[in-house]
Amino acid sequence: MTADERVSSLLSKHAAIDHAIEEENQRPHPDDLRILELKREKLRIKDEIAGHYSHP
């Protein structure tokens, strides 16, 4: 997998997590722990994406 393919995959996962967060927030009683876990995973992916751009 090339670096561009990896970043593309990470961006897709990032968007899917964002969607999952939105869906959870729309529930009558959102699971705050689930939202926190999703946000942590989203941040981890964002950091990994940024790492791909900081290395030549």
Side-chain angles (χ1 to χ4, degrees), residues 14 17-18 21 37-47:
H14 189 271
I17 292 170
D18 198 38
I21 291 169
E37 291 170 350
L38 288 166
K39 286 182 177 183
R40 283 184 181 149
E41 180 65 11
K42 186 176 166 187
L43 183 57
R44 186 195 64 76
I45 290 171
K46 182 179 176 184
D47 289 345

Side-chain angles (χ1 to χ4, degrees), residues 5-54:
E5 290 171 334
R6 178 70 179 148
V7 169
S8 179
S9 173
L10 290 169
L11 288 170
S12 293
K13 288 180 184 179
H14 189 271
I17 292 170
D18 198 38
H19 181 71
I21 291 169
E22 288 179 28
E23 283 186 346
E24 187 65 37
N25 278 322
Q26 295 301 316
R27 293 179 47 177
H29 301 287
D31 183 343
D32 292 334
L33 182 57
R34 176 75 177 135
I35 292 170
L36 181 61
E37 291 170 350
L38 288 166
K39 286 182 177 183
R40 283 184 181 149
E41 180 65 11
K42 186 176 166 187
L43 183 57
R44 186 195 64 76
I45 290 171
K46 182 179 176 184
D47 289 345
E48 190 173 342
I49 293 168
H52 279 280
Y53 289 112
S54 65

